[in-house]
Amino acid sequence: MNPKVGDLAGNAALIRRVRDTAAEHKADLVVFPELSITGYPPEDLVLRPAFVAAAARTLSDLASEQRSGTPAVVVGLPWIGDGRLHNAVALLDDGRCEMRFKHELPNYGVFDEKRVFTPGPLPEPVDFRGLRLGLPICEDVWLSNVTGHLASRGAEIMLVPNGSPFEVDKFEERLELVRRRTSECGRPLAYVNQVGGQDELVFDGGSFVMNAEGQLAHVLPFWAESLTVTEWHREGGRYRCSGTHAWAAEPRLSAIYHAMMLGLRDYVHKNGFRGIVLGLSGGIDSALTAVVAVDALGPDRVRGVRLPSKFTTDASMEDAVDSARALGMALETVAIGEVVDAAERSLAPLFDGRPRDVTEENVQARARGLLLMACSNKFGELLVTTGNKSEMSVGYATLYGDMCGGYSVLKDVYKTEVYALAGWRNQHTPGGALGPGGRVVPESSITKAPTAELRPNQTDQDSLPPYEELDAILQGLIEEEYSVDDIVSRGFARDTVVRVQRLLYSAEYKRRQAPPGVKITRRSFGRDRRYPLTNGFRES
């Protein structure tokens, strides 16, 4: 299920449609993801009494519709119990409403449920049409105590509503986790996950059923809503789900690309934008961003804008044309020279006698931001920025310039991965993509030296180490939280590591003002990594 946070009526309508479709298949029970009535994560919305009350009314409406002979439903919502707010799940069946509360509240990474919810007691099984169900919620299966308790109290099947966001290689982690739980408690488990984009998180779906011996019976599709009907039988006094599934991991680059595409599509749709506008420079970052945008929304809803300055080369102009032509998207050209000249004339009396430096380079970048935001305002289109994680890590971006915009597709993608994704997309057309197949990223954009083109003959490597080296150091500092000594021991020069660390810490204030973007790695910038802006700690 792909809910929209806060859209209680829309989410309830989706629940009803799925329930009615399941009735046509003569299903007994339909299980929806965690907090399905409100969408996940609702964050501080649950601190508003009016919101919690509205969710309760929605549950009451759904419960009143349950009749004998129709499928029961398992839905989630915030619920006041014993005067405290809980992350709850409700089983609705023919006038019954059985409520259970989440016991283990995650409080790490992007999760801070302990801030808004109170843990429930260890949940008891629910009697349902002749069997006993365990209803642990998401984090409840990451530790063994909840499923162990449910099994000891007679639960025969574990049904687990989840709101588990995507990270690379996380699905394998889910499988191994559930395999441990089924082995420990000797019960089959159905893991039901949300799908879709919500702010900086994207949920990959991939719900699955695993029998007690660790064998997969079903794996639902990734990246799309789906309803699968399963059949369960008693064998040797225990329940077992019919079917077998031989699962193979989705290639890493394919998973990352689908996450970027779905996250952008849902951000645009759920926030009501008409389409997307982006600066198309001819470089690899803007070329890949344009492809993701076209794949997510279709070429008729994506507008590229070339913003040449006196330093923009003819080759870059042509590369932008090649990108737009390959994708079938619109391309406009708005020169920034007059805007830059006017700004420099206004500043000339104040700057008299001072040499040109990065200030004038940033005026160019901010002129582009000004003009792109004007396009966004005029056409009702979301301005998408094109910077990558490598640049944002070290502050190689202009605040209110190329950082200007409402969403960042590549925010959690390192530069080396940008090249890999461009190559992958030129060879593959992802499922659900609305863009064309074939080579959609120009070869010149891939092979030429990356440059901001804010001064003559500029390249990124004038200011930064080679990206292969930079990205390896950054992954050590960010994802792994390694010390400088740890990273130096991997063969990197100490001076380089210390410099990258200094740049990383110094750019925190920029990242705090950066637009949201899809979480891809274990430690994305945002709720995953909360460093102070004012920070005097450095390693040498």
Side-chain angles (χ1 to χ4, degrees):
M1 173 181 174
N2 185 348
K4 178 180 178 180
V5 166
D7 184 8
L8 306 184
N11 297 338
L14 177 55
I15 289 169
R16 292 185 177 98
R17 287 197 299 272
V18 174
R19 178 200 62 197
D20 294 345
T21 301
E24 296 172 4
H25 292 280
K26 303 187 184 306
D28 296 292
L29 177 65
V30 190
V31 185
F32 292 90
E34 180 177 12
L35 294 180
S36 44
I37 286 176
T38 60
Y40 186 86
E43 303 188 85
D44 283 7
L45 271 175
V46 300
L47 300 179
R48 295 188 65 83
F51 180 73
V52 176
R57 289 194 298 272
T58 303
L59 178 71
S60 178
D61 291 343
L62 289 169
S64 69
E65 299 165 9
Q66 295 299 123
R67 298 286 184 270
S68 177
T70 62
V73 297
V74 170
V75 294
L77 75 164
W79 185 262
I80 299 289
D82 300 324
R84 298 177 178 179
L85 184 64
H86 297 281
N87 182 337
V89 63
L91 188 150
L92 308 179
D93 182 31
D94 192 19
R96 290 175 60 216
C97 177
E98 290 281 351
M99 193 80 66
R100 296 293 183 269
F101 301 146
K102 191 173 184 177
H103 179 70
E104 297 290 345
L105 300 180
N107 200 52
Y108 55 85
V110 300
F111 305 106
D112 53 7
E113 288 194 29
K114 288 183 179 179
R115 182 171 178 270
V116 294
F117 291 120
T118 299
L122 282 169
E124 298 297 320
V126 177
D127 292 323
F128 173 72
R129 301 186 187 183
L131 60 92
R132 287 171 69 73
L133 299 175
L135 297 174
I137 304 172
C138 199
E139 191 76 10
D140 285 342
V141 300
W142 286 79
L143 300 172
S144 60
N145 58 328
V146 176
T147 51
H149 174 78
L150 286 165
S152 72
R153 304 288 284 181
E156 298 170 282
I157 301 172
M158 305 292 177
L159 304 177
V160 189
N162 287 270
S164 182
F166 168 78
E167 292 174 13
V168 288
D169 304 322
K170 190 175 182 180
F171 186 72
E172 293 93 329
E173 186 179 1
R174 294 176 193 149
L175 287 181
E176 288 308 308
L177 166 81
V178 170
R179 191 165 281 117
R180 289 197 298 273
R181 296 293 90 85
T182 57
S183 173
E184 291 163 357
C185 69
R187 304 294 191 275
L189 188 150
Y191 184 104
V192 182
N193 195 26
Q194 181 172 302
V195 70
Q198 174 59 36
D199 296 347
E200 295 195 289
L201 302 181
V202 64
F203 298 84
D204 50 342
S207 301
F208 60 91
V209 179
M210 185 178 288
N211 280 311
E213 76 282 5
Q215 176 68 43
L216 281 171
H218 296 273
V219 176
L220 276 65
F222 291 82
W223 314 116
E225 290 182 322
S226 60
L227 173 68
T228 293
V229 180
T230 61
E231 294 185 1
W232 299 74
H233 307 274
R234 280 190 186 273
E235 295 181 1
R238 290 189 174 183
Y239 270 94
R240 179 178 179 82
C241 183
S242 299
T244 58
H245 186 98
W247 176 78
E250 181 181 12
R252 174 189 174 90
L253 293 176
S254 174
I256 293 173
Y257 195 92
H258 277 97
M260 294 192 302
M261 189 170 71
L262 179 58
L264 178 61
R265 177 183 294 159
D266 275 1
Y267 195 83
V268 171
H269 286 167
K270 292 178 180 180
N271 287 291
F273 290 100
R274 296 175 187 171
I276 282 172
V277 60
L278 75 157
L280 202 57
S281 68
I284 183 70
D285 295 326
S286 67
L288 180 61
T289 300
V291 178
V292 175
V294 168
D295 282 343
L297 299 175
D300 57 327
R301 296 182 66 190
V302 181
R303 182 193 308 269
V305 183
R306 296 189 300 181
L307 298 139
S309 74
K310 60 185 178 183
F311 302 118
T312 303
T313 64
D314 291 341
S316 292
M317 295 285 282
E318 286 303 313
D319 288 339
V321 171
D322 290 346
S323 283
R325 184 182 296 123
L327 294 168
M329 59 178 274
L331 180 63
E332 318 286 353
T333 301
V334 181
I336 68 170
E338 292 184 6
V339 177
V340 172
D341 290 345
E344 291 192 0
R345 282 196 302 270
S346 297
L347 292 166
L350 185 62
F351 291 174
D352 185 41
R354 294 177 179 267
R356 294 180 67 89
D357 55 20
V358 70
T359 305
E360 284 74 19
E361 294 181 22
N362 287 340
V363 166
Q364 297 172 67
R366 291 181 178 124
R368 291 188 171 112
L370 169 72
L371 297 170
L372 286 169
M373 276 306 303
C375 292
S376 174
N377 293 158
K378 184 63 68 176
F379 302 121
E381 297 165 345
L382 172 68
L383 175 54
V384 172
T385 65
T386 62
N388 58 67
K389 188 172 186 176
S390 306
E391 296 168 345
M392 291 308 305
S393 296
V394 295
Y396 193 68
T398 302
L399 198 57
Y400 320 123
D402 53 319
M403 289 176 60
C404 195
Y407 195 83
S408 174
V409 174
L410 306 179
K411 181 176 182 177
D412 201 25
V413 179
Y414 287 109
K415 185 76 167 190
T416 48
E417 201 102 74
V418 169
Y419 284 106
L421 287 163
W424 179 87
R425 180 58 181 87
N426 276 346
Q427 298 174 14
H428 302 84
T429 304
L434 301 178
R439 296 192 65 83
V440 288
V441 180
E443 187 64 23
S444 176
S445 295
I446 296 174
T447 58
K448 70 183 179 184
T451 173
E453 291 191 323
L454 297 175
R455 61 176 184 265
N457 303 314
Q458 181 184 26
T459 68
D460 291 3
Q461 262 58 70
D462 296 340
S463 305
L464 301 173
Y467 278 115
E468 293 80 3
E469 182 179 0
L470 175 64
D471 289 356
I473 293 171
L474 288 171
Q475 288 180 44
L477 291 169
I478 298 169
E479 275 79 22
E480 299 168 297
E481 291 286 7
Y482 279 179
S483 68
V484 167
D485 287 342
D486 291 334
I487 299 172
V488 170
S489 71
R490 292 179 167 184
F492 297 101
R494 180 174 295 275
D495 288 350
T496 303
V497 178
V498 169
R499 175 173 169 245
V500 171
Q501 177 200 230
R502 177 180 57 79
L503 292 171
L504 174 67
Y505 287 169
S506 299
E508 190 65 40
Y509 79 102
K510 288 187 178 182
R511 289 189 294 272
R512 197 71 68 87
Q513 300 178 68
V518 174
K519 171 182 167 62
I520 300 293
T521 67
R522 189 171 69 251
R523 294 292 299 277
S524 61
F525 292 128
R527 298 198 314 179
D528 257 340
R529 185 179 184 277
R530 309 178 199 185
Y531 268 61
L533 301 182
T534 305
N535 173 16
F537 178 73
R538 299 291 188 273
E539 297 170 71
S540 59

